[in-house]
Amino acid sequence: MAKKKPMKIATIGGGSSYTPELVEGFINRYDELPIKELWLVDIEEGKEKLETVGNLAKRMFKKANLPVEVHLTFDRRKALKDADFVTTQFRVGLLDARAKDERIPLKYGVLGQETNGPGGLFKGLRTIPVILEIVSEMQELCPDAWLVNFTNPAGMVTEAVLRHSDFRKVVGLCNVPIGMEMGIAKLLDVEHSRVRIDFAGLNHMIYGLDIYVDGESVKDEVIELMTDPDNTNFVKNIEGQEWEPAFIRSLNALPCPYHNYYYKRPETLKKTMESAEKEGTRAEVVQRLEKDLFELYKDENLNIRPPQLQERGGAYYSDAAVRLITSIYNDKGDIQPVNTMNNGAIASIPNDSAVEVSSIITKDGPKPITVGDIPIAARGLVQQIKSFERIASEAAVEGSYDKAVLALTINPLVSSDVLAKQIVDEMLEAHKDYLPKFFNR
Amino acid sequence: MAKKKPMKIATIGGGSSYTPELVEGFINRYDELPIKELWLVDIEEGKEKLETVGNLAKRMFKKANLPVEVHLTFDRRKALKDADFVTTQFRVGLLDARAKDERIPLKYGVLGQETNGPGGLFKGLRTIPVILEIVSEMQELCPDAWLVNFTNPAGMVTEAVLRHSDFRKVVGLCNVPIGMEMGIAKLLDVEHSRVRIDFAGLNHMIYGLDIYVDGESVKDEVIELMTDPDNTNFVKNIEGQEWEPAFIRSLNALPCPYHNYYYKRPETLKKTMESAEKEGTRAEVVQRLEKDLFELYKDENLNIRPPQLQERGGAYYSDAAVRLITSIYNDKGDIQPVNTMNNGAIASIPNDSAVEVSSIITKDGPKPITVGDIPIAARGLVQQIKSFERIASEAAVEGSYDKAVLALTINPLVSSDVLAKQIVDEMLEAHKDYLPKFFNR
Amino acid sequence: MAKKKPMKIATIGGGSSYTPELVEGFINRYDELPIKELWLVDIEEGKEKLETVGNLAKRMFKKANLPVEVHLTFDRRKALKDADFVTTQFRVGLLDARAKDERIPLKYGVLGQETNGPGGLFKGLRTIPVILEIVSEMQELCPDAWLVNFTNPAGMVTEAVLRHSDFRKVVGLCNVPIGMEMGIAKLLDVEHSRVRIDFAGLNHMIYGLDIYVDGESVKDEVIELMTDPDNTNFVKNIEGQEWEPAFIRSLNALPCPYHNYYYKRPETLKKTMESAEKEGTRAEVVQRLEKDLFELYKDENLNIRPPQLQERGGAYYSDAAVRLITSIYNDKGDIQPVNTMNNGAIASIPNDSAVEVSSIITKDGPKPITVGDIPIAARGLVQQIKSFERIASEAAVEGSYDKAVLALTINPLVSSDVLAKQIVDEMLEAHKDYLPKFFNR
Amino acid sequence: MAKKKPMKIATIGGGSSYTPELVEGFINRYDELPIKELWLVDIEEGKEKLETVGNLAKRMFKKANLPVEVHLTFDRRKALKDADFVTTQFRVGLLDARAKDERIPLKYGVLGQETNGPGGLFKGLRTIPVILEIVSEMQELCPDAWLVNFTNPAGMVTEAVLRHSDFRKVVGLCNVPIGMEMGIAKLLDVEHSRVRIDFAGLNHMIYGLDIYVDGESVKDEVIELMTDPDNTNFVKNIEGQEWEPAFIRSLNALPCPYHNYYYKRPETLKKTMESAEKEGTRAEVVQRLEKDLFELYKDENLNIRPPQLQERGGAYYSDAAVRLITSIYNDKGDIQPVNTMNNGAIASIPNDSAVEVSSIITKDGPKPITVGDIPIAARGLVQQIKSFERIASEAAVEGSYDKAVLALTINPLVSSDVLAKQIVDEMLEAHKDYLPKFFNR
Ligand SMILES: [Mn+2]
Ligand SMILES: [Mn+2]
Ligand SMILES: [Mn+2]
Ligand SMILES: [Mn+2]
């Protein structure tokens, strides 16, 4: 029943191009979330970006006329000390590493993507040891703070924290659910605020089990619209929703865009190969976009989030983070989809594993709403990705070559022990500098 | 506590080339299993084969000097009346249908196989309604009899009986576990009888969780041998065991030969395409083998199971059946791997689903031995195939096009709603005559 | 997305003395819950009471200046037709039956109480068949309506509806949780609205697993206060909270007042016997109270809920009902403790059983918030009462003497097959008129 | 695949009056179980008994003409060193402590018994720390040995080892299941070897879920006989089986004699009080019996187990132990009821808790046969005793007064926090010398 104290936020990876959205989020919700200090932490190699973004942040708060102090630092411990919330948005190895995650698998006829398949595995191997370090520092320096993670692969990272530390104040976030809600709002031509979806599954493998407008289920209508051959606009415009009518009717749930990798594996592989050929992988595209963005950010007259940031991808991530922090801080009891401990919400997933599921957000953290179970047809894939996440987490923590090969072999985008071994061999070498557990033993 | 009465066995699909092995099994175990009547049932189109096989069976019992009556009939109800055990080994659509199951998927770059992927789906769609008819007749004509099914896909068929009937006296059988035991015996150069494996998983997706010789675990030694680069003989000789050492060490369980389809998907697809090209699909090969076999069977001087039957594939199936029947009949309490209701044996599979698991065989049927759970790395794939089996069973029972497409989409050999639809469309048409639920509505 | 239509409420047992509280609730929340028709249904024997209460209800709505029509009827089907919500507060056999429920067990040295032990069993046996009739009529006459049940034993009744009908729009209610919150508010001297408790368990066997003020856990402080020997006021004033400090500290949860029957069995039995001796059983006391209340209700000048109703017991029941209806109607998404299907909320209770648990209230009904599990020490008792409820429900539905004896034998207030049989024999005879399933066969 | 080496058995509490039965068991099964050394360990206070029993053992092996060395020692570590099997049959505080366990609760109107209620709690508090010491020594001195425990309370002890150590080679034993089989054999007038019961539950709370003769279920006949009013002989003769017909028919399972404490609580309490009054508590009776037994044992001409030992109670305990050891040693794969880790056998008990359940006995230990679940009516009581066992184990390990009070409060023989506290206070004092965790802190 303590009086609310002035808040301190620490953002690891603060030099990220996303930061202006985060700052905008804090500005928009300042009434409910009166933060006092925002600490942007980054590594020395990112000094220039950190300063560029940090100065923009300062200009934004100033323009909004809010007394928020922005601190820039390379000293993570200083930033964590007594923080109330810690957000993580760092990228080990930067976009160069992502480019490798995307490029290398394609050589083996396997999808190259940031959070799925080999790319997801190696992003996890690079990221998990760092997250566990942060968690350990938090336990020492700010044990009551919440860790709001949106560093990918957010599901695997949350699983790793739950299984390989005794820290429990962790929430993983994604912008996919919010995007699905907005897609439905658009499809039905209603305001976003009137749409609610019962979400359940894993990060980047989430299903909408029911869909409501003003509390009434509209799932049947949505599925009808999604399978209407005349509804060509919708089919063309909403990425990842061009599902075979027979499939979507019998699945009877709303897949997420990442389901394309699993329910349209060969087609998506082909598309990815073509666009990697034509315009480069996504990392390569983003590298170009980011260069332009940082040019913009440097403009001393800029004091708002520039609209061009939307094109970067990842829109609404930071908004989701600020929305979550606000609800925890104010014990709001509203419903948000987050990555948290299952605790019985989904029957076929162990209670102590991470799931992404609609939860009540309280000061005591997210409390999942019971789902019962996801549809029979979806259980296998979800369990398979969960198995992958668990084995991959173990590989990351132990620096285990064998488990890295096992994780890739059971990944449904690979399904080959021979390819798994070859890909692991090449990618280990490529990411050597960021995998001390595997090399410095 | 009733006195044991003379036994009647009914074998559906009695004209099969396998029958001599079955007869041999009955002969070998006659001391323990004094059958009085063996009823071989088949359809009129199979008249010639039925008579050929039936006559051979009669000669075999005569040569063995056993008073067993062999009855040949097209009247299934007559055969079922008061039977003690019913075995099923029929094939809806015969080997022609199997050839289509194997050929058509290859056109779409998808594995063509009898019990996996599209072939498994369509074999299930053709078989399940017939099995449910048989079950319904058994409930009327021989309610105390056990149904010993070795018609494939045996896992899906068992699942269908458990979920879509209230008949519980069903056991599904396979020769894969016995083959794995024999492979281990050979690898370790010990007698088969000294080897025991803790089996758990699904039909054609079974894992050896531990391996014993004389009751002592030898799993570590086996895995070492399997991953020994110098043990080339083994690697060359035992089909499906040439696993990447890193994979097999971290899986820490013995996969079955069918795991090649899932842990070596691209490689096995390639091999299957090549051999379909070169020597025809397996069905096409078997059609030739069977022709020769039936020529042999016709020889009036033949009164034993001819050794050539071994090459047909499916060896030990019938032996497994007779071994099971003997243990049920005599309440033996020995351990056999069978397809039965899970009942808690495997934690991550619903209690009321079919699993293939080491079980105690009693007069009251098989009682699974608790496993706890299969390894984390294996749970996803197992649950995925279980999801596939359940959706496929529903499709079969309901004649549902949508569910057939869904089942194929979630099958890890397909993973594409687009391909699933195309394959279902072509295969439905190809098997039209054997899918009345889909066409006569 | 349909427009909200004018609402019709049907209240079964409308002639109850509680009705004025219900009416007051509708008046207080009229802004959010614009009911148009309130149908009070009762049986012909209750004609006088129904009219007395009905007239008071009309005067109350009139005084509040609200255009709500009050209909009085003996025709339940007419009341149910197109209703939006159905509330049940009837009492089969009236207070006379309750007096027998309380008196007879005492003769056998067993606690006599309305919802626990033999009284709870027989109240269930009388009530469940009627509830199932109502449910069946609702499925015909108002299939979209919600059944808000506060007829006791509310947990057993909810279990019976979930297991013995296919109707799912049922919620059971109790005033115990709200009472616990108010007790805590008083203990801590904060406003009720600032207190939140994580409730989990069964009806009349609910535990407060955590306690928050403004979202921060205060459980440790509460337990300290509850075990403080100097805090005599609290100990004296809050019924059922005088727990042994060692017990409550290690239980580490807040029991409810009904836990006295199970954690202070001999003491509570003794107290109940003494007060039955001195002032009569609770039913006998209430009968006197009700007589006075109905005198009051007849006063044509009375147009509010008279304050004397509070002493009747059962305060806040009706308020809980109106609060629930309001949240369902408006898709509020607030948290309320209700009896609903477990669905994974409590790990050690089957997913398809009824539990009482904090739930999010939506237009689609209550969705339990995951609990994980109740404390180890509480699981046994909770499972025992759940077993009792399930066997008792089956006894009620089947009219099974054997199951009635079994239910009482396993009830922890009885624990004797000999006493169970004797009590069942005497109580069956005593309640003969209200147990057609047991006698008219 | 190692060659069988000569066996060493260590028996803790070797000076017990039971030992001659154990020795007889080793003699009878010597062909299968060629033990070389039997080490009888006891405490110095028990020197005389140890020598008496040890000398009898030597005479018995000599008479049987078997080359088994009997070693007597107070040095437990020496006895454990390189042992193959360790059996435990010690009694902390001897029969004096048991007499207190039986006497003290009666003063509070609570059942006094060795393994149930307060007596069971305090026997556990005295025994568990010693067992955990032994386990720890075994991990050092004979890590491959199996611990075969028949020190009571065997269920709680097994639970404690599973939860409070990482030692897994423990099995708990009881003679109740074998007694139930023999009772059924007698009732049906068939040989014991033809009877099989599917056992499931907890130690001293085990149910026979099905009953077979020659593999055919005879449960219905047994229940009919048990509820036949004319079958007075049976009812009179088989202790604990005089159940109310209505109860036993609807329970539809065979309870064990200890169920009298829970399903006939008041009657059994009364009987116990009367016989404590008349002939002393059971401990007091046994003390007299043991005195006579040890006189017999001293007779240098005695070289067999004297028939009088049967009256001591506990018959077949040692036989069960030798039967178990023989099956482990020989990897027999036969079915025996033992206390072991649940592992999914009983659905409503956590997988990692101890249960008593029919299991396959292999060299790798017992593997439970799946039960599915115990009957609904039994789940609550079983879970309640399991909760009691878990809290009591924690109390024992932590020396926690609060948890001791909690354990007794939730025990269905107490059900009162007030009595629980009073009984704990008096019994702690009475057993002070054997509860160092509670006093030496
Ligand atoms: Mn994401
Ligand atoms: Mn097979
Ligand atoms: Mn209530
Ligand atoms: Mn015992």
Side-chain angles (χ1 to χ4, degrees), chain B residues 225-226 228 231-239 241-242:
Chain B
L225 282 170
M226 285 174 69
D228 178 358
N231 190 30
T232 47
N233 260 6
F234 177 63
V235 168
K236 278 204 200 101
N237 292 335
I238 311 287
E239 177 211 14
Q241 306 294 9
E242 306 158 56

Side-chain angles (χ1 to χ4, degrees), chain D residues 79-91:
Chain D
L80 293 178
K81 180 74 188 141
D82 296 329
D84 295 290
F85 289 90
V86 177
T87 72
T88 44
Q89 54 184 45
F90 62 88
R91 184 185 289 283

